[in-house]
Amino acid sequence: MRPKLVIVYLLIVIAPLAAVGWLGAALARNEQTMVAVRFREVLTGKLNDTASNVAGLIEQRERELMTVSNLSALSPADLRERARASGIVRQYFVLDQEGDLVYPSPSGELMASEVEFLRRTESIWSNGEIPGPNAESQQASRAVQSETRTKGWHVGFWGSGVSLVFWWRDERGAVVGAELNEARLISDIVGILPETTTPEYTGRMSRSRQDDCTTLVDPKDAVVYKWGAYSPNAKETPRADVALFPPLQAWSLKYYSPAAPYGQGMIFSVILGFTAFGVALVVLALYFYRENTRAIRDALQRVSFVNQVSHELKTPLTNIRMYAEMLDGDLGEADTDTRRRLGVIVSESQRLSRLINNVLTFGRNQRKLLTLHRTPGIIDEALRSIISTFDAPLNARGVTVDLVTGAGQEANFDRDALEQIMGNLLSNAEKYAPNSGRLEITSHQNGDTVTITVSDQGPGIAGNLRERIFEPFYRVSNKLTDGVAGAGIGLTIARHLARLHGGNLTLEPSPRGARFKVTLRATMRRSGGTP
Ligand code: ADP
């Protein structure tokens, strides 16, 4: 296969494949992003549901705490006993009107757990973070205001633990509160967490996955609880992350899964489509390649057929011409009619010979087999002899040759090639410049270079076609040339032969008619040397 053809076939296959591939990848990326966003939305929704359940538990805890009536009226012993029995409370406390602690009173007699409580909650009391009824109106509080009572949460951190404090105003108007039992609260939260948070997906998303997990993370980023089989590594970013509602806003739920379980279906269909398209293109390219090779083979067969036929025609034509010329020699002076008829046979057989020679030379040139056979001779003599064979047909078409010679020195050139070049130029003048009068032919020799010009007085050739007329099979179409026989290869061959001769054939500008210039490097014969 020719390299140009290979490039074309590669382009036919690779360019559309690249375009489709790029489009497919862009589409898949887009689809993947959309699915990922949807997936995250669903997961976040699920985590939010869990967070709402936890918020529900906290509200329930608030209600449970506030069911104890008149807490501020109870004695320290009662309060201790209540805390011990409740399970959900670690420590109760009661404030006076100014927000100072009445129980457990820092100045009173305290149990070890109460001392611990005061240490844990020290910042609350020193900063007045839970206001007493009097201070309440002046102080900005973090409390959640309700219509009838004031209540609120306070979250404090100590060491590695968390202190969750709820306070409210009891029926007597005193501010009371309780520190929750952290371990109990967490175990209650874990108790209401769902078995699994993984939503089930169908279609493009993967089906329910076992290898994922959700974690409940405390404010110090420690995992309090984890459910699901997957173990994320320490630096892994969760696929969804939701904070719990106040007062547990510092806690969060995080969902992890090893790989994005979405979009694979889309990527698979893009790859499948891409492969199918690629296969179709390759098949198409192969089909065109086969058709192309067949067309080239057919054309070569036709060319070789034409070559063979032309070869076969050459011998009988030469015989016809030879016998006609012999007959002409045998005729008496008075036999003018027969001589005229024989003249037609000779000139027609010459025309046919020229055509056959053109076809054979063209074929040889295509196969790069065209070579010259230079022999010593005089260009002007060859010119005269060639022109003499055209005298009769040119005269019959109303054209007379005016030859001005100037190449009389011996030179080395291919006589057949010169005959073919001149034959084509003269036959063109005969065909395309009939009744134009003078056909001027000049020859000139300057060292090794011989220049021959052939100028007719016919309609000429438009300047823009100066080069096109030398292209194979190109024929100018106009009123004058239409209907004139020709294959469009005469000038092509003439130029090839001139170039083989180290020269050229060109159409020269001229005021009237067509003026062709042939240049040849016809090496001079030098004594003792070969050209
Ligand atoms: P062909 O004569 O077989 O058509 P050529 O290669 O010899 O092919 O010529 C190419 C074209 O150039 C011709 O078809 C013709 O239109 C134009 N041409 C050639 N010689 C002349 C001329 N002397 N005058 C006008 N037109 C010409």
Side-chain angles (χ1 to χ4, degrees), residues 431-432 471 473-477 481 483-489:
K431 287 194 288 185
Y432 304 114
E471 288 172 12
F473 309 110
Y474 181 77
R475 304 196 70 213
V476 182
S477 172
T481 53
V484 178
I489 55 172

Side-chain angles (χ1 to χ4, degrees), residues 348-402:
E348 285 302 297
S349 57
Q350 277 173 343
R351 206 168 65 81
L352 259 177
S353 290
R354 258 195 321 276
L355 183 68
I356 286 167
N357 277 339
N358 274 351
V359 171
L360 289 174
T361 312
F362 188 74
R364 248 181 261 135
N365 186 47
Q366 292 293 91
R367 284 173 284 144
K368 314 257 182 283
L369 295 175
L370 200 55
T371 49
L372 290 184
H373 301 285
R374 293 173 190 258
T375 48
I378 311 255
I379 298 262
D380 281 346
E381 277 176 13
L383 273 181
R384 272 190 214 101
S385 151
I386 296 162
I387 293 166
S388 71
T389 60
F390 274 88
D391 270 344
L394 281 171
N395 285 339
R397 301 277 283 167
V399 179
T400 27
V401 178
D402 185 356

